[in-house]
Amino acid sequence: RRMADDDQQWKVPPNVQELAAAGPEEPPSRYVVRDHDRPALAGAGGDVTDPIPVVDLGRLSCGDADEAAKLQSALQTWGLFLAVGHGIEPGLLGEMMAVTRDFFNLPLEEKQRYTNLVGDKREYRIEGYGGDMVLSETQVLDWCDRFYLIVDPESRRLHDLWPTRPPSFRDVLHRYSARCRELAGAAGLPEEGRLADMLDEKAVTYVRLNCYPPCPRPDRVLGFRPHSDGGVLTVLLAETAGLQVLRDGEWHDVPVVPGALVVNLGDVVEVVSNGVLRSPVHRVVASAERGRVSVAAFYTVDPEREVEPAPELVSEERPRRYEKTKKSGDYVRELLESLARGERAIDKVKLV
């Protein structure tokens, strides 16, 4: 069907899996990042004296002081950690990865039944299958296809967007997201994070399935541009390397530990903690040899809630560093628009 405005065709990003399958020698120009943003292919950040910590949530829940100290240090220096002892069965992690791969391997027409571009004008919405929010013809696109769904509260699920193929998709995602929510609630954030107060019954959880196909020139593209997450925290399941985190101006590879989940903080925690805890900037690099799929669960606060530093964390020694954010639902939308412009939404509420 012809678009309502042919001159708006640039708003519809190509399907990256289809591009990759065509076997180009070079990625299309819309995906080529600026020279100073190009990833180094030799891996990143080999020489750190304190690697990204692996935290055992089982020990943490039993009051292990060493584990608690390790977590506090991780969240202040890296803003993320690798979670083991989380209690999610390896079989369920494997099922979640399998249905994610199976979904992305469906024919394109099947996947486009769940498109994130709606109506005659193909307006972008967060939920659904597709690519980036595109705001300009010159915007550099990510080498990635993705599929967003709201999983909590269940009353907000758009069941028409939950795939019927593969047949086990709905059941596996339902079970995985329930177990992930337990993990998020038990992640043991330090008191500054105010986690229990934020993840109430009105809090919204998004799941994003990501597909990063192989790229003939991984040095010229990014699977996902540098960004921080806008919510409270994110739980990531991935079996393949590619995630990198920015620390002190340098990119560092996040290692893949079998059975571990990557847990990182979002902007909400950085604001509420008045900057004591960090919302890390991270990105995904592409690979020439292999594709990568991942599953990210984003825990956000009540969409009607505004966020600001906790009063007891503001003092003469540590002045207020952030003003009040927009309502959370609006902030998530602004986050995606900022991402399209290569900016960070949190910078707009920073005071110093």
Side-chain angles (χ1 to χ4, degrees):
R1 187 167 56 86
R2 192 170 164 274
M3 281 192 62
D5 294 298
D6 285 339
D7 62 349
Q8 299 288 293
Q9 187 66 40
W10 55 266
K11 285 188 174 182
V12 183
N15 180 273
V16 179
Q17 276 184 285
E18 299 288 306
L19 289 177
E25 292 184 11
E26 294 279 338
S29 59
R30 295 184 74 183
Y31 294 87
V32 175
V33 298
R34 295 180 294 269
D35 287 353
H36 65 271
D37 291 330
R38 291 187 179 180
L41 286 186
D47 301 324
V48 285
T49 53
D50 55 337
I52 296 168
V54 178
V55 176
D56 189 321
L57 297 184
R59 289 184 185 172
L60 191 68
S61 66
C62 294
D64 188 301
D66 290 341
E67 222 62 27
K70 195 193 300 183
L71 175 66
Q72 178 86 25
S73 171
L75 297 181
Q76 289 179 345
T77 55
W78 291 103
L80 55 73
F81 63 95
L82 295 162
V84 297
H86 45 67
I88 303 180
E89 302 80 6
L92 181 53
L93 299 181
E95 283 183 86
M96 191 64 236
M97 291 301 283
V99 296
T100 300
R101 274 190 293 268
D102 289 348
F103 173 78
F104 283 115
N105 287 334
L106 290 172
L108 180 59
E109 310 76 60
E110 176 81 13
K111 290 179 290 193
Q112 285 183 330
R113 290 173 53 191
Y114 311 106
T115 180
N116 59 8
L117 298 172
V118 294
D120 287 341
K121 292 192 176 180
R122 311 296 294 276
E123 296 293 334
Y124 178 91
R125 66 176 171 194
I126 296 175
E127 289 180 89
Y129 166 78
D132 299 328
M133 173 191 284
V134 183
L135 296 181
S136 77
E137 293 184 70
T138 57
Q139 178 180 326
V140 178
L141 304 179
D142 292 334
W143 191 257
C144 173
D145 296 322
R146 56 183 73 113
F147 187 21
Y148 268 106
L149 290 169
I150 287 178
V151 294
D152 286 312
E154 286 191 39
S155 60
R156 293 198 53 178
R157 292 181 182 180
L158 296 179
H159 290 285
D160 287 351
L161 286 180
W162 282 54
T164 53
R165 294 176 60 197
S168 59
F169 184 98
R170 293 181 171 196
D171 172 62
V172 171
L173 179 57
H174 177 78
R175 288 188 287 120
Y176 175 75
S177 61
R179 297 304 307 278
C180 251
R181 186 172 179 81
E182 292 171 17
L183 183 159
L189 280 195
E191 185 59 30
E192 298 94 339
R194 303 290 187 279
L195 187 63
D197 174 48
M198 290 188 282
L199 296 184
D200 58 17
E201 68 279 355
K202 292 182 180 177
V204 175
T205 305
Y206 295 88
V207 163
R208 190 182 71 217
L209 313 181
N210 303 296
C211 177
Y212 304 96
C215 180
R217 291 293 304 274
D219 58 319
R220 303 194 69 195
V221 305
L222 284 169
F224 207 133
R225 73 199 70 183
H227 66 286
S228 61
D229 296 339
V232 178
L233 58 79
T234 303
V235 177
L236 178 75
L237 170 63
E239 297 174 341
T240 311
L243 178 65
Q244 296 182 337
V245 61
L246 186 66
R247 177 176 164 187
D248 299 330
E250 291 191 1
W251 290 103
H252 300 269
D253 291 322
V254 177
V256 174
V257 174
L261 295 162
V262 180
V263 179
N264 68 266
L265 301 182
D267 295 350
V268 166
V269 172
E270 182 169 324
V271 170
V272 170
S273 73
N274 201 30
V276 173
L277 304 176
R278 301 183 50 214
S279 174
V281 174
H282 49 288
R283 70 182 186 183
V284 176
V285 295
S287 167
E289 291 81 37
R290 62 182 186 275
R292 176 179 185 266
V293 298
S294 66
V295 181
F298 301 95
Y299 294 88
T300 68
V301 297
D302 175 353
E304 293 299 310
R305 184 168 176 172
E306 298 169 327
V307 176
E308 61 185 327
E312 62 271 28
L313 297 176
V314 178
S315 64
E316 282 187 29
E317 296 78 38
R318 192 173 188 84
R320 185 183 177 110
R321 298 188 173 194
Y322 307 87
E323 55 190 4
K324 186 181 289 187
T325 70
K326 295 179 174 182
K327 289 181 179 178
S328 173
D330 295 331
Y331 186 83
V332 169
R333 183 81 186 183
E334 183 176 295
L335 180 86
L336 294 171
E337 292 177 359
S338 297
L339 190 62
R341 289 190 292 265
E343 301 167 356
R344 283 187 78 194
I346 196 173
D347 289 342
K348 295 182 180 179
V349 296
K350 279 186 178 173
L351 298 173
V352 290

